[in-house]
Amino acid sequence: MQSIQPFHVMDILARARELEGQRRSIVHLEVGEPDFATAAPIVAAGKRALEQGLTHYTPALGLPALRQAVAHFYAERYGVTLSPGRVVMTPGASGALLAAVGVLLDPGDRVLMADPGYPCNRNFIQLMDARPVPVDVGPASAYQLTLDLVKEHWSPDCRAVLIASPSNPTGSLMPRSELRAIVHWVEGQGGTVVMDEIYHGLVYGDRAETVLAFTEQAFVINSFSKYFGMTGWRLGWLVAPEPYVREVDKLVQNIFLAASTPAQHAAMAAFAPETLAILEARRAEFEGRRDFLLPALKKLGFAVPLAPQGAFYIYADCSAFTDDSDAFARDLLERSGVAVTPGRDFGQNAPERHLRFAYTTSRERLEEGVARIADYLPKSRCRASP
Ligand SMILES: Cc1ncc(COP(=O)(O)O)c(C=O)c1O
């Protein structure tokens, strides 16, 4: 536990809520979840399940009909044939990742991953007594690993490469050709790709490719949290390679028993055309917010070398204003009531120069946030050192 860091954004959120308790108005640009409530057809399906008394455990691997629906979704959305037997319902992507690293890693195994990256994934690997190997990435590689970087950092005790595309905090996508090349090379070394596809669906422009288009040996992490807007229901899924499914089954039986039953019944409505129409309208709304916030931040003097192509984050270089993004975020919250996430949540790669802005609030609040930041910058007490 000593090597596991807290998730600092939760401290910012707690302080923001405290200030709101004192009747301060806060613009929330820190929260990594959609501001929309769960789409009505999903809620209705959840209610029906509760009213029908569907409140008992499901099988550990999940409701067969939902596993089938997820497999069908891969055929529809990606043209990929997937056996429902490989789909495991989990408590969020978090549960999927825990199950994946639980069956895959031995103590001492190394796992390559991009830095900056989502911090909890790193900590799951540590929990298995395995070793996360952060690899610095920047705009030159769209904040993603490349085949060259993987080759450079690979060692005989490497077991896996963890890829997240679109990424948190940068919203960047790994190009299809690079993903295919990495999969091919890593599997040639006897390693495994673990692919976090949680922000699939929230992509603006290019389509995100699933790693399942290239291999049956990868683990895929996904969730109903982000695109499907179900964060609090705690439901995600894992696609495991066939030989690991029984191992995942045993692990899930022990650590979760099963994912939430009402959530699984609710998610049965997630792929219905009427639900997907709502989710697509929300995706367009996120895209419009990105198209407002990105130029607005640049105009204020933040550097964003690469336009994010997905998720709902902008990872901005704030070195024009400060060399301590953590102090800056705290001061901005206290003095101007704008909550943002400091870079240190996302690794060791120049965190002091970065802030993550989440456009998970209305256009009106985004405009208010930008106006407050513009007003704050000249008064900032966290100036960059000369
Ligand atoms: C990249 C990434 N992976 C996984 C998760 C976990 O999501 P959940 O457990 O809600 O599905 C998150 C949440 O923010 C994330 O950003």
Side-chain angles (χ1 to χ4, degrees):
M1 285 312 295
Q2 277 167 1
S3 63
I4 291 184
Q5 296 294 315
F7 201 5
H8 298 288
V9 64
M10 301 315 280
D11 292 345
I12 296 272
L13 179 61
R15 179 62 185 151
R17 297 268 183 250
E18 203 171 74
L19 291 173
E20 279 173 327
Q22 297 163 15
R23 298 181 173 276
R24 288 274 308 274
S25 141
I26 304 296
V27 179
H28 289 277
L29 304 179
E30 81 285 35
V31 187
E33 63 175 336
D35 47 322
F36 307 109
T38 301
I42 301 178
V43 174
K47 277 186 178 167
R48 273 198 307 277
L50 290 173
E51 280 157 11
Q52 291 167 11
L54 300 175
T55 53
H56 301 97
Y57 293 133
T58 68
L61 294 177
L63 271 184
L66 184 58
R67 298 170 69 200
Q68 181 90 46
V70 170
H72 184 68
F73 184 65
Y74 279 89
E76 294 269 295
R77 192 147 277 204
Y78 305 98
V80 165
T81 307
L82 170 64
S83 155
R86 290 175 55 202
V87 179
V88 183
M89 308 318 302
T90 55
S94 309
L97 196 89
L98 185 58
V101 297
V103 297
L104 183 64
L105 300 179
D106 283 326
D109 282 351
R110 288 176 183 266
V111 180
L112 303 186
M113 64 190 64
D115 183 347
Y118 177 67
C120 307
N121 288 353
R122 237 180 2 248
N123 292 332
F124 279 129
I125 290 163
Q126 304 231 66
L127 214 52
M128 299 299 146
D129 244 339
R131 301 277 164 264
V133 181
V135 176
D136 285 2
V137 294
S141 68
Y143 296 101
Q144 292 283 355
L145 293 173
T146 60
L147 177 58
D148 286 346
L149 284 170
V150 170
K151 284 181 179 171
E152 190 188 321
H153 290 85
W154 190 264
S155 58
D157 49 3
C158 276
R159 181 73 192 86
V161 176
L162 174 64
I163 298 169
S165 174
S167 125
N168 177 4
T170 65
S172 73
L173 280 178
M174 178 178 284
R176 197 173 194 277
S177 54
E178 200 73 41
L179 178 58
R180 185 175 38 210
I182 291 176
V183 167
H184 187 74
W185 189 85
V186 168
E187 292 185 352
Q189 306 299 308
T192 301
V193 170
V194 179
M195 179 93 181
D196 185 340
E197 300 186 352
I198 187 170
Y199 291 102
H200 273 216
L202 291 172
V203 174
Y204 319 113
D206 256 4
R207 188 169 77 88
E209 186 58 277
T210 174
V211 74
L212 297 175
F214 307 121
T215 178
E216 299 195 334
Q217 306 309 319
F219 286 82
V220 175
I221 313 297
N222 210 323
S223 179
F224 288 97
S225 286
K226 311 285 176 163
Y227 174 65
F228 296 98
M230 295 179 67
T231 43
W233 298 74
R234 308 308 305 130
L235 187 65
W237 70 86
L238 172 69
V239 181
E242 194 70 60
Y244 283 97
V245 172
R246 178 60 186 149
E247 305 303 317
V248 172
D249 192 10
K250 286 191 314 195
L251 189 60
V252 170
Q253 287 168 359
N254 280 277
I255 58 179
F256 316 130
L257 297 192
S260 153
T261 301
Q264 291 189 65
H265 284 284
M268 286 298 299
F271 305 111
E274 55 169 337
T275 309
L276 292 174
I278 297 169
L279 302 182
E280 280 304 301
R282 292 176 175 185
R283 190 193 61 77
E285 168 66 23
F286 279 125
E287 184 170 7
R289 293 175 184 179
R290 180 199 64 165
D291 292 346
F292 162 74
L293 189 59
L294 182 60
L297 290 177
K298 285 181 170 178
K299 206 167 151 206
L300 290 178
F302 293 94
V304 188
L306 196 79
Q309 298 151 286
F312 31 56
Y313 306 116
I314 295 174
Y315 199 56
D317 183 326
C318 55
S319 53
F321 310 115
T322 183
D323 47 20
D324 183 348
S325 61
D326 196 50
F328 184 93
R330 286 169 201 279
D331 194 48
L332 178 65
L333 175 60
E334 295 299 328
R335 284 148 63 86
S336 298
V338 180
V340 299
T341 307
R344 74 165 166 159
D345 259 345
F346 308 104
Q348 302 298 321
N349 180 6
E352 68 290 344
R353 282 202 280 119
H354 289 91
L355 295 169
R356 188 192 73 177
F357 296 80
Y359 40 94
T360 46
T361 190
S362 69
R363 174 68 183 263
E364 196 189 8
R365 295 301 285 166
L366 287 181
E367 285 172 14
E368 171 67 19
V370 168
R372 289 189 195 185
I373 296 169
D375 186 53
Y376 166 81
L377 287 175
K379 300 184 236 154
S380 169
R381 286 188 191 141
C382 312
R383 311 295 297 168
S385 39

